[in-house]
Amino acid sequence: MKKSNISVFVPHIGCPHKCSFCNQNTITGQSVAPSGKDVRKAVEIALNSNTSEKYEYEIAFFGGSFTAVEHNYMVSLLEAAKPYVDNGSVKGIRISTRPDFINAGILNLLKEYGVTAVELGAQCMNNNVLEANFRGHTVQNVQDAARLIKEYNFELGLQMMTGLYSSNDDIDFLTAVQFAALNPDTVRIYPTVILKDTYLAFLFEKGEYIPRSLDSTVSLCARLVEYFEKNNIEVIRVGLHASDDVKRNMLCGGYHESLGEMVASRMMYNKITSFPAGEYKVYINRKSISKLLGNKKSNIAALKNACYNIEIMYDDKLGPNELRVE
């Protein structure tokens, strides 16, 4: 059974900070706060959709800092979602929030209303980078919130951003190492995208911030995903969701509609080239053929240029990102 989120986007309300990269109306594609009625409508549409596949649903409150919104409004959204958890229509409720808006009282409330997973927008585990991007929280806030979430037996998700102002690849990789030390269940990786009307856009236009190229973004994200997978941490998202609003409002940065597949493709290339150049049989799940080939067969061309001659074989027992080289 496939897992799927019934996403309810809460715009940028409640959060006391305006981060360097933040233009939440663009990211979420909406500026009007949803009501309990909107929550019920979204769930009913998902549950009653005609599809041949069966899904295990979670209601997911994304887009803003959920536990930072006005208390009664937050409760009204949870009250609309909870009956679907109680009757078994959905597995649970997932929320995303800031590390500095987590405490025992909030977690008790979330538990009461059927929340099962809490994701923290940590972004980076370097205080200088957090300060330079106006995050308004510290590394210690992330560590304290993560440990408390685990103590209350919620699924812990951590979200990181690569390529932030004042960061670099080494700092980003160290963020992954510090994430792993907190034993999260899931991770999301969001390469920085420069959106109009943000502080990053101001710095970019002044020449004070140079974003990572798409290729360097793919290369770093492949290293990060490989690291998380080696530590048995599931990466559930790489890159922003495809959005016309993002494409209209972005100036540049690590955005591509197929970024996740590009990263998976780079990981396959890295695994093959970890062997000496030569001729190999490469076994993959047949559903992964596009990842192995790469965009416009770029992986195959790069492998040939590096003196690798591969014969593609199929083994559907392998996972979607796995391969075996013989």
Side-chain angles (χ1 to χ4, degrees):
M1 185 179 295
K2 290 188 175 182
K3 295 182 180 180
S4 181
N5 286 336
I6 302 171
S7 297
V8 179
F9 290 100
V10 181
H12 193 254
I13 55 175
C15 182
H17 301 281
K18 182 70 180 288
C19 302
S20 67
F21 50 83
C22 186
N23 186 331
Q24 275 290 332
N25 290 348
T26 292
I27 293 172
T28 65
Q30 68 180 70
S31 58
V32 178
S35 65
K37 182 179 179 180
D38 294 321
V39 174
R40 289 187 288 271
K41 181 179 179 181
V43 177
E44 292 295 338
I45 288 173
L47 295 181
N48 294 304
S49 60
N50 292 320
T51 175
S52 59
E53 298 206 60
K54 293 194 178 281
Y55 288 95
E56 182 179 67
Y57 287 109
E58 282 185 322
I59 299 171
F61 291 106
F62 287 145
S65 298
F66 189 74
T67 60
V69 304
E70 194 274 326
H71 176 83
N72 289 337
Y73 173 61
M74 177 179 68
V75 170
S76 72
L77 297 179
L78 291 171
E79 286 179 338
K82 186 175 185 293
Y84 296 99
V85 179
D86 291 343
N87 66 23
S89 298
V90 302
K91 175 190 172 186
I93 300 170
R94 176 178 293 268
I95 66 108
S96 64
T97 193
R98 293 175 53 89
D100 49 338
F101 278 81
I102 287 292
N103 57 46
I106 286 173
L107 293 176
N108 279 320
L109 177 70
L110 296 179
K111 185 75 74 174
E112 178 185 345
Y113 280 96
V115 173
T116 47
V118 180
E119 296 190 28
L120 297 177
Q123 318 312 8
C124 184
M125 297 294 275
N126 180 288
N127 282 326
N128 291 333
V129 175
L130 292 174
E131 184 176 358
N133 290 277
F134 312 135
R135 281 296 295 163
H137 68 78
T138 65
V139 170
Q140 190 65 54
N141 291 142
V142 177
Q143 293 169 334
D144 292 343
R147 291 183 182 121
L148 197 58
I149 289 165
K150 296 290 283 188
E151 285 176 15
Y152 275 73
N153 294 317
F154 288 94
E155 179 184 311
L156 171 65
L158 295 176
Q159 301 170 3
M160 70 177 291
M161 294 183 67
T162 65
L164 282 169
Y165 175 55
S166 293
S167 191
N168 57 46
D169 285 2
D170 289 339
I171 291 174
D172 291 344
F173 194 81
L174 285 173
T175 288
V177 173
Q178 292 184 67
F179 271 19
L182 296 172
N183 194 29
D185 299 282
T186 62
V187 165
R188 296 179 194 262
I189 303 171
Y190 294 119
T192 300
V193 176
I194 304 175
L195 299 172
K196 296 175 184 177
D197 302 321
T198 62
Y199 183 63
L200 277 191
F202 169 74
L203 292 175
F204 171 66
E205 288 162 355
K206 287 181 63 178
E208 295 183 16
Y209 170 63
I210 300 174
R212 309 293 189 274
S213 68
L214 180 60
D215 186 70
S216 64
T217 295
V218 170
S219 180
L220 173 62
C221 288
R223 286 181 60 211
L224 295 173
V225 175
E226 287 167 357
Y227 177 79
F228 285 126
E229 288 185 349
K230 286 178 182 176
N231 284 275
N232 298 311
I233 298 167
E234 183 183 7
V235 179
I236 57 176
R237 182 76 197 175
V238 179
L240 292 174
H241 287 274
S243 162
D244 289 337
D245 287 315
V246 170
K247 285 186 281 189
R248 277 195 300 267
N249 288 282
M250 68 174 286
L251 299 177
C252 70
Y255 176 82
H256 192 283
E257 288 184 345
S258 302
L259 184 64
E261 181 137 327
M262 293 171 72
V263 169
S265 183
R266 183 66 59 88
M267 290 169 62
M268 289 191 171
Y269 175 87
N270 291 345
K271 289 174 183 175
I272 295 169
T273 55
S274 68
F275 293 84
E279 296 189 4
Y280 295 97
K281 289 183 178 179
V282 176
Y283 292 82
I284 59 166
N285 187 306
R286 67 186 66 246
K287 292 181 180 179
S288 303
I289 183 63
S290 63
K291 295 176 185 177
L292 177 58
L293 296 178
N295 186 35
K296 298 180 180 179
K297 297 188 177 180
S298 57
N299 255 8
I300 302 302
L303 287 167
K304 285 183 177 178
N305 287 337
C307 299
Y308 288 84
N309 185 21
I310 67 168
E311 181 181 0
I312 300 173
M313 311 292 287
Y314 294 113
D315 180 354
D316 291 341
K317 293 180 181 178
L318 292 169
N321 291 330
E322 289 183 306
L323 58 78
R324 187 174 74 254
V325 179
E326 294 181 356

